[in-house]
Amino acid sequence: MWSNTSSSNPASPTTPQIPSVSPTSPTSRPTYRLKNQGRRVAQIVKLKPECVEKYKECHAKVWPEVLKQIKDCNIEDYSIFHDPETHILFASFKYVGYNYAGDMERMRDNPKVQEWWRMTDSYQESFVPGAKSSAEGEPAWWKGVEEVFYNP
């Protein structure tokens, strides 16, 4: 589902770097990593009109294994919105990890997530030419959209 965004490392020039200290140095301190402030991601897909209620029902009780995997893959502030006139689903989340491609691969490798995607993909139509499913990866099922304004 999340693979249509850049698979490169999303770190920006303002992303804090990991301090490095030689473990044999007499003044060595533990290395640490500051939390990545995140990269905002937005995507769209079309919800089949006959599947609106099913889609809302399953998202009212998302499986705990799926929620855990989302968190473990460094995704925060995840929301999905629905426009009933156009049938568009708009997803928005913040990626706060340091290896987007690796985290998305871990997401795709989870059997429970694959099962969830098989169910939810059946309620949707992708805008991406050639997309087969969320689990297939490329081309992505959900279409990435460009952010044109942000006011933190």
Side-chain angles (χ1 to χ4, degrees):
M1 169 178 182
W2 293 290
S3 60
N4 194 29
T5 53
S6 172
S7 61
S8 64
N9 188 339
S12 73
T14 59
T15 300
Q17 299 300 310
I18 302 169
S20 59
V21 176
S22 168
T24 58
S25 167
T27 59
S28 69
R29 297 172 293 203
T31 14
Y32 59 94
R33 181 179 282 195
L34 298 175
K35 182 177 179 183
N36 184 342
Q37 293 305 299
R39 179 182 93 178
R40 295 158 45 84
V41 177
Q43 303 166 321
I44 58 172
V45 75
K46 186 173 183 178
L47 182 60
K48 295 175 183 176
E50 66 274 16
C51 297
V52 172
E53 290 311 311
K54 289 181 195 173
Y55 192 81
K56 288 182 179 182
E57 285 172 20
C58 72
H59 281 82
K61 48 185 183 251
V62 178
W63 303 340
E65 301 91 343
V66 172
L67 294 173
K68 181 180 183 323
Q69 188 66 57
I70 289 170
K71 183 177 181 176
D72 289 350
C73 288
N74 298 298
I75 293 173
E76 296 181 353
D77 298 327
Y78 183 34
S79 297
I80 299 175
F81 300 87
H82 174 238
D83 178 8
E85 292 178 21
T86 64
H87 308 292
I88 290 176
L89 292 172
F90 171 80
S92 170
F93 62 87
K94 186 187 288 187
Y95 176 72
V96 296
Y98 289 91
N99 180 0
Y100 187 80
D103 281 336
M104 296 308 100
E105 185 176 335
R106 287 189 312 127
M107 179 81 71
R108 276 191 302 278
D109 288 346
N110 182 312
K112 236 7 193 182
V113 170
Q114 291 175 14
E115 184 182 349
W116 177 263
W117 284 346
R118 277 191 299 277
M119 176 181 63
T120 59
D121 284 3
S122 73
Y123 305 149
Q124 305 164 351
E125 296 173 11
S126 179
F127 289 113
V128 179
K132 293 181 177 43
S133 71
S134 293
E136 289 291 319
E138 295 296 330
W141 185 251
W142 284 67
K143 180 181 179 185
V145 292
E146 177 186 6
E147 181 175 76
V148 295
F149 175 75
Y150 176 61
N151 182 24

